[in-house]
Amino acid sequence: MKNFSNYKDYSLKQDLHIESKVVHGALGCEPLTGAVSMPIFQSATFRHPELGNSTGFDYSRLENPTRQELERTMAILEGGIKGFAFSSGQAANMAVFSLLDVGDHVVMSDDIYGGTSRIINDIFGKYGITHTCVDMSDLEAVKAAITPKTKMLFVETPTNPCMKVADIRAVSDIARAIGALTVVDNTFLTPYFQQPLNLGADIVTHSSTKYLGGHNDTISGIVVIKDDEDIVSKVRVHIKSHGSQLSPMDSWLVLRGIKTLAVRMDKHNENALKVANWLRTQPKVKKVYYVGFSDHRDYEITKKQTTGFGGMISFAVDSFETVKKILKNVDLVMFAESLGGTETLITYPTTQTHEDTPKEMKEALGIDECFLRLSVGIENADDIIADLERAINS
Ligand SMILES: *Cc1c(COP(=O)(O)O)cnc(C)c1O
C-alpha cells in the first residue's frame, strides 16, 4: 500500500486511466489522518514549528491543502506541471491575459464566451493590448491575423455558442513558429474528452463552474501550465497579488465534482447526441449546432482531437415567438444562464452569456433573437426531449 505521510509526496498516477485519475486525484486522501475525502482546511494561516521551518503551508492565499489537492489533480488530468485554482473562470482568464505586456497583440476565436470578450475589450484594451478575432477553424484566417506583436493565440474549442472547432495542434504550430503562446479554454469538453496540452498548447483554462464542478453549486476557475516554469511563477505572482484564489470550501466542491467527471461526461455525451438528433426532426427548429453530427463542418478534426462531443447544443428556431414560448413553458429544463451541471439548462445567448459581445459580431455569427443554447444534463434523455417537445409545440 502506498503511504503518503506528508503533502510533498503525491503521485502523478501516470499509469492510470483517466476514469481512475479523476477519482484518486493527487494525494487521493489526506496523508496525516487517512481521511478519504480531502478535508476542507478552513484555516487562514498555519503554525510554524520554528524559524526557518514550515509545514509547506504558510497562509491560505498562497497555499492551502484543499486547494493544493485540486490544483495538483487538475495538473495531472490536463498533463501539465502546475495547476492554479481561481475564484472564477473570469479570474483564471484574467491571470492568463495578464501574462501579456503593453503593446502585445492577441488573436482569439471570434465566437467566444462573452466574458472573455469583455476582459480583452474593456480591461486590457485600455492597457494598449490589442486583439483580432478570427474564425479559429480557418487556419488561413489565423495566419492572416498575426502581426509582429502577436504574443498569444487564445482558442475556445468548441466555440460558445456556435460550436466551431479549431485544430489545436495546427493552431499551436502556428503560434510556436512566431514565439507566441497557445491558450485553450477547455471548459466545454474537459480533460476527459480533450487534452489541449498534449496537442501542443501551452496553457489550459477552465470555468470549473461548469463540467468540472458539475453541480451548479460553485463558481471557480482553473489554469494549468504545461511546462514553462517562468509562466508558473508569473501566474503565482498574479494570484498572490490579486488574491483571486479559490476558497477551501469551493476547492472541495470542485474536487468532489471531479470524482464523478467521467461518468457525468459520458452521460452528458450520450444525452446530447439523442437530443441533438431529435431537435433536427423538429419543424420549428431551423438549424442545430452540434459537434457530434457527422455532417458538421469540423467533424474530422473533432474525431482526431477529442474522445467525445460533450453536452452542448445550440439551435435556431423559426421565430422570436417560439423562443418566448419555449422559455416560458419549459419545466424540467430550466431557463438559466450557465452550463455543465447535472441539470439541463436552456440559455438565451443574445442577452445572457453574450450580452457584451459586439452587436456586429453577434449578427455575423448568427446569434440573433431566434438563437438558443442548451446544456444537456444527466437526466433521462426521454424526459428532456418530452419537456422540450411540449414547450416547442405548446
Ligand atoms: C462560464 C465561462 C467562463 C467564465 O467562467 P465563470 O466561472 O463564470 O467566471 C469562461 N469561459 C467559458 C467557455 C465559460 O463557459
Side-chain angles (χ1 to χ4, degrees), residues 88-90 93 113 116 156 160 185 187-188 207 209-210 219-220 339:
S88 67
Q90 285 295 92
N93 282 339
Y113 176 69
T116 310
E156 210 178 271
N160 183 359
D185 183 331
T187 300
F188 270 29
S207 168
T209 309
K210 317 293 169 52
I219 302 284
S220 60
L339 64 105

Side-chain angles (χ1 to χ4, degrees), residues 94-314:
M94 278 294 296
V96 165
F97 286 119
S98 297
L99 293 168
L100 296 166
D101 290 320
V102 175
D104 285 353
H105 174 255
V106 186
V107 177
M108 60 190 233
S109 308
D110 53 359
D111 169 29
I112 204 164
Y113 176 69
T116 310
S117 195
R118 193 183 315 130
I119 292 176
I120 204 72
N121 281 304
D122 300 354
I123 309 292
F124 286 94
K126 72 178 182 203
Y127 299 125
I129 290 169
T130 57
H131 69 282
T132 307
C133 296
V134 294
D135 178 349
M136 284 269 182
S137 58
D138 178 352
L139 296 174
E140 290 312 311
V142 175
K143 285 182 198 153
I146 284 168
T147 77
K149 305 228 175 232
T150 305
K151 290 286 152 50
M152 184 181 287
L153 271 59
F154 190 99
V155 189
E156 210 178 271
T157 182
T159 59
N160 183 359
C162 295
M163 310 295 162
K164 292 191 283 197
V165 177
D167 183 332
I168 298 173
R169 194 177 289 284
V171 170
S172 306
D173 286 346
I174 295 173
R176 197 171 311 104
I178 57 160
L181 293 173
T182 303
V183 183
V184 177
D185 183 331
N186 203 24
T187 300
F188 270 29
L189 291 179
T190 83
Y192 184 64
F193 284 144
Q194 173 171 278
Q195 297 177 359
L197 301 184
N198 294 335
L199 294 165
D202 303 288
I203 301 174
V204 158
T205 72
H206 279 276
S207 168
S208 40
T209 309
K210 317 293 169 52
Y211 289 105
L212 294 173
H215 295 74
N216 288 323
D217 56 10
T218 171
I219 302 284
S220 60
I222 299 285
V223 168
V224 181
I225 291 132
K226 183 178 176 148
D227 55 13
D228 189 326
E229 291 287 357
D230 184 45
I231 297 176
V232 170
S233 44
K234 282 181 179 157
V235 175
R236 189 176 278 121
V237 169
H238 176 95
I239 196 166
K240 199 163 144 176
S241 310
H242 284 243
S244 49
Q245 76 290 340
L246 192 60
S247 73
M249 174 73 198
D250 291 85
S251 296
W252 181 82
L253 282 167
V254 179
L255 263 177
R256 189 172 66 158
I258 289 173
K259 284 177 192 279
T260 56
L261 184 70
V263 285
R264 284 188 291 106
M265 291 311 285
D266 281 338
K267 186 70 177 168
H268 285 296
N269 194 56
E270 179 192 319
N271 280 356
L273 184 62
K274 287 184 188 159
V275 173
N277 280 322
W278 172 80
L279 276 171
R280 266 197 164 174
T281 66
Q282 295 304 296
K284 287 187 181 154
V285 175
K286 294 298 157 201
K287 184 163 181 193
V288 183
Y289 301 77
Y290 172 62
V291 295
F293 287 141
S294 57
D295 58 0
H296 183 287
R297 193 193 55 182
D298 307 319
Y299 190 71
E300 288 312 314
I301 301 167
T302 293
K303 287 300 249 187
K304 196 175 69 178
Q305 70 185 14
T306 73
T307 52
F309 307 121
M312 298 302 299
I313 304 169
S314 296

